[in-house]
Amino acid sequence: NIIKETVKLIQKKGYAGTSIQEIIKKSKAPKGSMYYYFPAGKDAMILAGVEQINQEFQKKFKNSILPLNNLSDILNALITMFNSKIRIYGTPSFRMTLLALETIGEAPEVARKCCDVLTDWKKITTRAIISLGINEKASINICDWFFTTLQGAISASVIYDDITFMNITNQSIKLIKNLSKEELESMFI
């Protein structure tokens, strides 16, 4: 429950907006158990929460993206994953870039973990794109373009408290939807 509530709170309120007291209250865990399981305090709880988010992403990726066999379907499925928790959090989920930016100076270990997780997500997405027959360099660049667009839309959604920014990611896929493999490789190399 501690990790589950930490995940909900960091997705909804970010690092600064998540307090140990609120985690205790929401998880209904005794205060002593908090420090028993997480003697390093808030950062340890946040790190456990980030790892939980990573595991959820990887599971959803495996179940919903890997069976797909074209680029726009893969990218649209990723958008669906990121939008999946809007009803729960009021914001797109998997907010790694925002959490990394928020913690760079205050909690560098959390920022590094967020960057590592985002790098892992990009690697598995790149592998899925390569499996479509698109060369590695173009696949890496497509993935970088897409995750930059996606995390930017998530950031704008949070900053402006307006989830319609997520529509930008849908629109950006339309830019490449009808391109051949050769055109994609030419554009992204």
Side-chain angles (χ1 to χ4, degrees):
N1 278 346
I2 295 169
I3 295 171
K4 181 179 167 185
E5 293 305 322
T6 300
V7 167
K8 286 180 184 177
L9 288 166
I10 60 175
Q11 292 284 24
K12 200 173 206 172
K13 297 183 172 193
Y15 180 85
T18 300
S19 69
I20 292 176
Q21 291 73 25
E22 192 168 14
I23 295 169
I24 290 169
K25 180 181 171 186
K26 296 278 186 181
S27 70
K28 298 179 175 114
K31 193 172 189 175
S33 67
M34 230 19 132
Y35 295 104
Y36 176 79
Y37 290 108
F38 301 100
K42 178 180 172 178
D43 286 359
M45 286 182 257
I46 300 288
L47 287 168
V50 168
E51 186 52 41
Q52 183 70 31
I53 292 167
N54 183 31
Q55 289 173 11
E56 179 184 352
F57 176 92
Q58 301 240 6
K59 180 180 177 185
K60 285 184 176 197
F61 189 92
K62 184 178 179 183
N63 292 334
S64 61
I65 281 86
L66 289 182
L68 301 173
N69 59 10
N70 74 60
L71 181 60
S72 62
D73 286 349
I74 289 172
L75 299 180
N76 280 314
L78 280 164
I79 293 169
T80 299
M81 278 177 49
F82 279 78
N83 283 332
S84 67
K85 302 280 175 112
I86 289 176
R87 286 184 306 278
I88 297 169
Y89 305 133
T91 181
S93 59
F94 309 113
R95 297 166 36 166
M96 287 298 118
T97 300
L98 277 175
L99 191 56
L101 285 169
E102 184 181 9
T103 57
I104 275 178
E106 194 171 337
E109 190 176 347
V110 173
R112 274 191 304 279
K113 176 69 173 174
C114 292
C115 291
D116 291 346
V117 165
L118 194 54
T119 298
D120 287 345
W121 294 352
K122 288 167 51 175
K123 284 179 184 176
I124 64 173
T125 303
T126 298
R127 285 194 299 269
I129 296 169
I130 290 170
S131 75
L132 301 174
I134 298 170
N135 78 39
E136 183 177 1
K137 179 72 173 155
S139 295
I140 290 167
N141 289 339
I142 290 168
C143 193
D144 285 343
W145 159 75
F146 182 73
F147 271 90
T148 300
T149 302
L150 185 59
Q151 290 292 310
I154 290 169
S155 298
S157 294
V158 172
I159 291 165
Y160 294 105
D161 193 24
D162 181 357
I163 59 169
T164 61
F165 282 96
M166 291 303 289
N167 295 332
I168 293 168
T169 55
N170 293 329
Q171 299 304 320
S172 67
I173 293 171
K174 290 179 183 177
L175 295 171
I176 64 164
K177 184 175 182 168
N178 295 318
L179 297 178
S180 69
K181 182 180 89 124
E182 292 76 21
E183 290 168 323
L184 283 167
E185 288 176 348
S186 173
M187 177 184 280
F188 283 99
I189 292 185

